[in-house]
mmCIF file of all heavy atoms in Angstrom:
data_model
loop_
_atom_site.group_PDB
_atom_site.id
_atom_site.type_symbol
_atom_site.label_atom_id
_atom_site.label_comp_id
_atom_site.label_asym_id
_atom_site.label_seq_id
_atom_site.Cartn_x
_atom_site.Cartn_y
_atom_site.Cartn_z
ATOM 1 N N GLY A 1 117.603 127.705 123.752
ATOM 2 C CA GLY A 1 117.835 126.428 124.428
ATOM 3 C C GLY A 1 116.651 125.614 124.708
ATOM 4 O O GLY A 1 115.653 126.168 125.110
ATOM 5 N N ARG A 2 116.760 124.319 124.538
ATOM 6 C CA ARG A 2 115.629 123.393 124.892
ATOM 7 C C ARG A 2 115.758 122.835 126.286
ATOM 8 O O ARG A 2 114.806 122.985 127.032
ATOM 9 C CB ARG A 2 115.697 122.272 123.889
ATOM 10 C CG ARG A 2 115.301 122.637 122.462
ATOM 11 C CD ARG A 2 115.229 121.466 121.548
ATOM 12 N NE ARG A 2 114.901 121.784 120.201
ATOM 13 C CZ ARG A 2 114.760 120.978 119.152
ATOM 14 N NH1 ARG A 2 114.887 119.654 119.405
ATOM 15 N NH2 ARG A 2 114.482 121.430 117.937
ATOM 16 N N HIS A 3 116.869 122.342 126.673
ATOM 17 C CA HIS A 3 117.054 121.804 128.041
ATOM 18 C C HIS A 3 118.247 122.455 128.631
ATOM 19 O O HIS A 3 119.139 122.981 128.027
ATOM 20 C CB HIS A 3 117.191 120.255 127.976
ATOM 21 C CG HIS A 3 115.950 119.536 127.606
ATOM 22 N ND1 HIS A 3 114.920 119.374 128.395
ATOM 23 C CD2 HIS A 3 115.670 118.905 126.424
ATOM 24 C CE1 HIS A 3 113.963 118.685 127.807
ATOM 25 N NE2 HIS A 3 114.417 118.367 126.607
ATOM 26 N N ALA A 4 118.262 122.482 130.003
ATOM 27 C CA ALA A 4 119.337 123.058 130.763
ATOM 28 C C ALA A 4 119.453 122.350 132.112
ATOM 29 O O ALA A 4 118.679 121.485 132.458
ATOM 30 C CB ALA A 4 119.114 124.571 130.953
ATOM 31 N N ASN A 5 120.435 122.911 132.934
ATOM 32 C CA ASN A 5 120.502 122.443 134.307
ATOM 33 C C ASN A 5 120.355 123.676 135.168
ATOM 34 O O ASN A 5 121.340 124.301 135.607
ATOM 35 C CB ASN A 5 121.942 121.838 134.583
ATOM 36 C CG ASN A 5 122.100 120.501 133.869
ATOM 37 O OD1 ASN A 5 121.290 119.581 134.013
ATOM 38 N ND2 ASN A 5 123.146 120.389 133.077
ATOM 39 N N PRO A 6 119.118 124.101 135.343
ATOM 40 C CA PRO A 6 118.890 125.384 136.188
ATOM 41 C C PRO A 6 119.552 125.184 137.578
ATOM 42 O O PRO A 6 119.658 124.073 138.115
ATOM 43 C CB PRO A 6 117.393 125.438 136.299
ATOM 44 C CG PRO A 6 116.851 124.684 135.067
ATOM 45 C CD PRO A 6 117.878 123.553 134.915
ATOM 46 N N ILE A 7 119.963 126.277 138.172
ATOM 47 C CA ILE A 7 120.606 126.318 139.465
ATOM 48 C C ILE A 7 119.613 126.500 140.611
ATOM 49 O O ILE A 7 118.835 127.399 140.627
ATOM 50 C CB ILE A 7 121.672 127.410 139.520
ATOM 51 C CG1 ILE A 7 122.602 127.312 138.313
ATOM 52 C CG2 ILE A 7 122.430 127.355 140.860
ATOM 53 C CD1 ILE A 7 123.407 126.023 138.265
ATOM 54 N N VAL A 8 119.665 125.590 141.609
ATOM 55 C CA VAL A 8 118.880 125.691 142.780
ATOM 56 C C VAL A 8 119.591 126.547 143.790
ATOM 57 O O VAL A 8 120.801 126.215 144.130
ATOM 58 C CB VAL A 8 118.637 124.259 143.402
ATOM 59 C CG1 VAL A 8 117.881 124.442 144.738
ATOM 60 C CG2 VAL A 8 117.823 123.425 142.465
ATOM 61 N N ILE A 9 119.035 127.626 144.271
ATOM 62 C CA ILE A 9 119.629 128.532 145.250
ATOM 63 C C ILE A 9 119.050 128.241 146.601
ATOM 64 O O ILE A 9 117.812 128.289 146.811
ATOM 65 C CB ILE A 9 119.307 129.989 144.836
ATOM 66 C CG1 ILE A 9 119.870 130.312 143.448
ATOM 67 C CG2 ILE A 9 119.949 130.896 145.894
ATOM 68 C CD1 ILE A 9 121.319 130.137 143.275
ATOM 69 N N PRO A 10 119.940 127.865 147.567
ATOM 70 C CA PRO A 10 119.465 127.601 148.927
ATOM 71 C C PRO A 10 118.738 128.844 149.469
ATOM 72 O O PRO A 10 119.104 129.984 149.170
ATOM 73 C CB PRO A 10 120.763 127.370 149.716
ATOM 74 C CG PRO A 10 121.733 126.928 148.659
ATOM 75 C CD PRO A 10 121.399 127.732 147.429
ATOM 76 N N PRO A 11 117.665 128.651 150.286
ATOM 77 C CA PRO A 11 117.308 127.406 150.879
ATOM 78 C C PRO A 11 116.272 126.582 150.104
ATOM 79 O O PRO A 11 115.744 125.605 150.547
ATOM 80 C CB PRO A 11 116.683 127.815 152.221
ATOM 81 C CG PRO A 11 116.040 129.104 151.910
ATOM 82 C CD PRO A 11 116.962 129.736 150.923
ATOM 83 N N THR A 12 115.884 127.135 148.889
ATOM 84 C CA THR A 12 114.900 126.410 148.061
ATOM 85 C C THR A 12 115.495 125.011 147.643
ATOM 86 O O THR A 12 116.703 124.779 147.700
ATOM 87 C CB THR A 12 114.536 127.162 146.833
ATOM 88 O OG1 THR A 12 115.626 127.357 145.918
ATOM 89 C CG2 THR A 12 113.943 128.535 147.232
ATOM 90 N N VAL A 13 114.651 124.096 147.183
ATOM 91 C CA VAL A 13 115.133 122.766 146.797
ATOM 92 C C VAL A 13 114.813 122.436 145.336
ATOM 93 O O VAL A 13 115.214 121.331 144.924
ATOM 94 C CB VAL A 13 114.443 121.747 147.742
ATOM 95 C CG1 VAL A 13 114.882 121.995 149.216
ATOM 96 C CG2 VAL A 13 112.958 121.641 147.611
ATOM 97 N N ALA A 14 114.146 123.253 144.598
ATOM 98 C CA ALA A 14 113.835 122.950 143.278
ATOM 99 C C ALA A 14 113.602 124.209 142.362
ATOM 100 O O ALA A 14 113.253 125.304 142.907
ATOM 101 C CB ALA A 14 112.582 122.075 143.224
ATOM 102 N N ILE A 15 113.872 124.036 141.089
ATOM 103 C CA ILE A 15 113.575 125.084 140.125
ATOM 104 C C ILE A 15 113.221 124.387 138.777
ATOM 105 O O ILE A 15 113.767 123.364 138.424
ATOM 106 C CB ILE A 15 114.904 125.953 139.900
ATOM 107 C CG1 ILE A 15 114.654 126.995 138.794
ATOM 108 C CG2 ILE A 15 116.113 125.086 139.525
ATOM 109 C CD1 ILE A 15 115.792 127.958 138.564
ATOM 110 N N LEU A 16 112.245 125.027 138.097
ATOM 111 C CA LEU A 16 111.790 124.484 136.848
ATOM 112 C C LEU A 16 112.262 125.364 135.737
ATOM 113 O O LEU A 16 112.086 126.639 135.746
ATOM 114 C CB LEU A 16 110.201 124.394 136.787
ATOM 115 C CG LEU A 16 109.694 123.981 135.431
ATOM 116 C CD1 LEU A 16 109.929 122.468 135.190
ATOM 117 C CD2 LEU A 16 108.116 124.210 135.381
ATOM 118 N N GLY A 17 112.899 124.765 134.672
ATOM 119 C CA GLY A 17 113.220 125.547 133.558
ATOM 120 C C GLY A 17 112.400 125.154 132.353
ATOM 121 O O GLY A 17 112.210 123.954 132.044
ATOM 122 N N ALA A 18 111.830 126.171 131.612
ATOM 123 C CA ALA A 18 111.061 125.922 130.473
ATOM 124 C C ALA A 18 111.858 126.347 129.227
ATOM 125 O O ALA A 18 112.332 127.408 129.154
ATOM 126 C CB ALA A 18 109.719 126.772 130.503
ATOM 127 N N GLY A 19 112.077 125.433 128.303
ATOM 128 C CA GLY A 19 112.932 125.702 127.153
ATOM 129 C C GLY A 19 112.186 126.197 125.971
ATOM 130 O O GLY A 19 110.991 126.549 126.050
ATOM 131 N N LEU A 20 112.889 126.298 124.840
ATOM 132 C CA LEU A 20 112.362 126.829 123.580
ATOM 133 C C LEU A 20 111.438 125.790 122.935
ATOM 134 O O LEU A 20 111.812 124.650 122.703
ATOM 135 C CB LEU A 20 113.515 127.121 122.656
ATOM 136 C CG LEU A 20 113.163 127.687 121.289
ATOM 137 C CD1 LEU A 20 112.458 129.030 121.352
ATOM 138 C CD2 LEU A 20 114.376 127.775 120.395
ATOM 139 N N CYS A 21 110.196 126.194 122.683
ATOM 140 C CA CYS A 21 109.205 125.302 121.984
ATOM 141 C C CYS A 21 109.668 124.939 120.638
ATOM 142 O O CYS A 21 110.292 125.767 119.972
ATOM 143 C CB CYS A 21 107.892 125.948 121.984
ATOM 144 S SG CYS A 21 107.124 126.180 123.595
ATOM 145 N N TYR A 22 109.325 123.765 120.170
ATOM 146 C CA TYR A 22 109.730 123.352 118.795
ATOM 147 C C TYR A 22 108.711 122.323 118.222
ATOM 148 O O TYR A 22 107.923 121.704 118.962
ATOM 149 C CB TYR A 22 111.124 122.737 118.834
ATOM 150 C CG TYR A 22 111.278 121.485 119.631
ATOM 151 C CD1 TYR A 22 111.190 120.222 119.013
ATOM 152 C CD2 TYR A 22 111.443 121.455 121.002
ATOM 153 C CE1 TYR A 22 111.236 119.012 119.758
ATOM 154 C CE2 TYR A 22 111.493 120.278 121.770
ATOM 155 C CZ TYR A 22 111.436 119.077 121.122
ATOM 156 O OH TYR A 22 111.561 117.923 121.877
ATOM 157 N N ASP A 23 108.690 122.244 116.893
ATOM 158 C CA ASP A 23 107.789 121.296 116.246
ATOM 159 C C ASP A 23 108.558 120.008 116.039
ATOM 160 O O ASP A 23 109.702 119.937 115.685
ATOM 161 C CB ASP A 23 107.379 121.919 114.914
ATOM 162 C CG ASP A 23 106.465 123.119 115.049
ATOM 163 O OD1 ASP A 23 105.779 123.234 116.099
ATOM 164 O OD2 ASP A 23 106.450 123.986 114.180
ATOM 165 N N ALA A 24 107.731 118.927 116.238
ATOM 166 C CA ALA A 24 108.353 117.595 115.983
ATOM 167 C C ALA A 24 107.256 116.595 115.546
ATOM 168 O O ALA A 24 106.073 116.899 115.776
ATOM 169 C CB ALA A 24 108.985 117.066 117.289
ATOM 170 N N VAL A 25 107.673 115.562 114.887
ATOM 171 C CA VAL A 25 106.749 114.500 114.349
ATOM 172 C C VAL A 25 106.471 113.574 115.583
ATOM 173 O O VAL A 25 107.397 113.015 116.148
ATOM 174 C CB VAL A 25 107.346 113.718 113.193
ATOM 175 C CG1 VAL A 25 106.399 112.604 112.792
ATOM 176 C CG2 VAL A 25 107.609 114.660 112.019
ATOM 177 N N VAL A 26 105.132 113.410 115.918
ATOM 178 C CA VAL A 26 104.792 112.552 116.976
ATOM 179 C C VAL A 26 103.707 111.601 116.478
ATOM 180 O O VAL A 26 102.921 112.000 115.561
ATOM 181 C CB VAL A 26 104.225 113.386 118.184
ATOM 182 C CG1 VAL A 26 105.370 114.252 118.765
ATOM 183 C CG2 VAL A 26 103.007 114.157 117.790
ATOM 184 N N PRO A 27 103.485 110.460 117.139
ATOM 185 C CA PRO A 27 102.426 109.553 116.698
ATOM 186 C C PRO A 27 101.085 109.959 117.272
ATOM 187 O O PRO A 27 100.908 110.244 118.434
ATOM 188 C CB PRO A 27 102.889 108.215 117.254
ATOM 189 C CG PRO A 27 103.677 108.586 118.445
ATOM 190 C CD PRO A 27 104.324 109.838 118.134
ATOM 191 N N VAL A 28 100.058 110.097 116.444
ATOM 192 C CA VAL A 28 98.735 110.456 116.831
ATOM 193 C C VAL A 28 97.776 109.442 116.229
ATOM 194 O O VAL A 28 97.593 109.413 115.002
ATOM 195 C CB VAL A 28 98.369 111.886 116.376
ATOM 196 C CG1 VAL A 28 96.917 112.203 116.801
ATOM 197 C CG2 VAL A 28 99.318 112.949 117.014
#
């Protein structure tokens, strides 16, 4: 998985999800 909707469990207010790395063409 690349992106998701991670679940925030109270009483915390945020969670970070790191997805599957992939190769892509980018401008350099």
Side-chain angles (χ1 to χ4, degrees):
R2 291 186 181 180
H3 291 287
N5 292 306
I7 306 298
V8 175
I9 303 297
T12 63
V13 300
I15 177 175
L16 176 71
L20 178 66
C21 294
Y22 63 98
D23 292 334
V25 177
V26 299
V28 178

